[in-house]
Amino acid sequence: MSLFGWWRAAKPRLDADQQRRLEQLPNPAALGDSSLRTQRWVVVDLETSGLNLNRDQVLSIGAVVIEDGAVDFSQLFERTLQRTDTKLSPSVLIHGLGPSAIAAGSDPVEALLDFMEFVGDSPLLAFHAPFDKHMLGRALKDSLGYRLAHPFLDVADIAPLLCPEAHIREAGLDDWINHFKLQVGERHHASADALATAELMLILFSRARQQHIDTPHALQTRLSQWKRRKQAPSF
């Protein structure tokens, strides 16, 4: 063993079937020039044990699919992950993920394989995506040894990009729901928040087309340009 070998995380132990499933996951597709409407998008929301990017864990995953200009209710995903040794923050308990629900959850390896099979090669959308991307990526690496490389767009950036008149650039999901007067049901658990985000995104796709942003690649490009302008120093 090398001097620094003890620093390396242990490689996840997968059985033969799990390894086969991992190897059969499709490579992510780049955002291309098909229409926004025909692109399959996976809208994801996570519940985590806290907000520490390096210590806290993914507790549940909720996801819905947008395809052909609508939410496809035949394609829904929801899993609670078994985390018996995880300390839960008060906010997690508010969201209904108590110790019994976590203890009765799915094996993380199986749940994460199920989720990535559900995602396929599709791009991901989330509200405050950098957090979800980091937490999901770390969970996939820790449990599967898998590197998340899917395009992952942030609805919290897309909304002010396409709706500058709203003047709510640093808004949360509830602010945008109220702005568009969306009638959403239950909130604050993963699947419900994913659905609320998807309903908001349908409005934003319509706004994008009105602004002649007609393809996933064009949306990604416009978003990157907008973020660079926002981060540029002003004189």
Side-chain angles (χ1 to χ4, degrees):
M1 174 183 265
S2 70
L3 179 61
F4 301 105
W6 64 276
W7 279 357
R8 301 191 188 109
K11 185 176 181 180
R13 292 184 178 181
L14 308 181
D15 64 29
D17 182 62
Q18 291 167 342
Q19 187 64 38
R20 177 191 57 79
R21 292 172 64 192
L22 178 64
E23 292 171 355
Q24 290 180 349
L25 291 176
N27 293 324
L31 292 178
D33 294 321
S34 61
S35 72
L36 286 174
R37 184 180 182 88
T38 58
Q39 173 69 58
R40 180 182 187 267
W41 303 86
V42 176
V43 186
V44 62
D45 187 86
L46 307 178
E47 295 293 345
T48 62
S49 59
L51 299 178
N52 187 295
L53 291 171
N54 299 313
R55 184 180 65 243
D56 286 305
Q57 293 184 307
V58 174
L59 301 181
S60 69
I61 305 171
V64 299
V65 167
I66 295 176
E67 197 167 18
D68 294 327
V71 175
D72 184 350
F73 286 98
S74 71
Q75 300 186 70
L76 304 176
F77 185 92
E78 184 171 17
R79 290 287 189 285
T80 297
L81 279 62
Q82 188 179 69
R83 304 290 197 188
T84 54
D85 57 347
T86 298
K87 182 179 180 181
L88 304 181
S89 69
S91 63
V92 171
L93 299 175
I94 291 171
H95 293 174
L97 287 173
S100 60
I102 299 300
S106 301
D107 172 64
V109 169
E110 292 291 328
L112 290 164
L113 281 169
D114 288 346
F115 178 65
M116 294 312 299
E117 290 169 344
F118 175 84
V119 171
D121 66 354
S122 299
L124 294 155
L125 293 162
F127 201 92
H128 293 149
F131 178 80
D132 291 69
K133 181 179 181 180
H134 180 94
M135 296 299 288
L136 178 61
R138 187 163 62 81
L140 289 165
K141 183 179 179 181
D142 290 348
S143 292
L144 304 179
Y146 178 89
R147 178 179 174 271
L148 180 66
H150 292 61
F152 214 130
L153 300 188
D154 191 355
V155 181
D157 283 338
I158 295 172
L161 162 68
L162 299 176
C163 308
E165 75 284 354
H167 300 296
I168 49 175
R169 182 167 296 180
E170 303 300 326
L173 180 56
D174 285 323
D175 295 301
W176 286 106
I177 287 171
N178 293 333
H179 175 74
F180 287 113
K181 298 180 172 57
L182 291 173
Q183 300 299 315
V184 300
E186 188 178 4
R187 283 270 283 109
H188 301 300
H189 63 76
S191 58
D193 286 359
L195 180 57
T197 303
E199 292 179 0
L200 169 61
M201 199 62 223
L202 291 176
I203 294 174
L204 297 177
F205 281 142
S206 177
R207 291 292 183 97
R209 290 188 291 269
Q210 292 169 14
Q211 297 174 37
H212 308 291
I213 304 172
D214 298 315
T215 70
H217 181 258
L219 177 61
Q220 183 183 48
T221 299
R222 187 73 66 87
L223 185 61
S224 297
Q225 293 169 343
W226 178 82
K227 290 171 72 174
R228 283 197 299 269
R229 287 196 302 269
K230 189 176 71 166
Q231 294 166 1
S234 56
F235 298 98

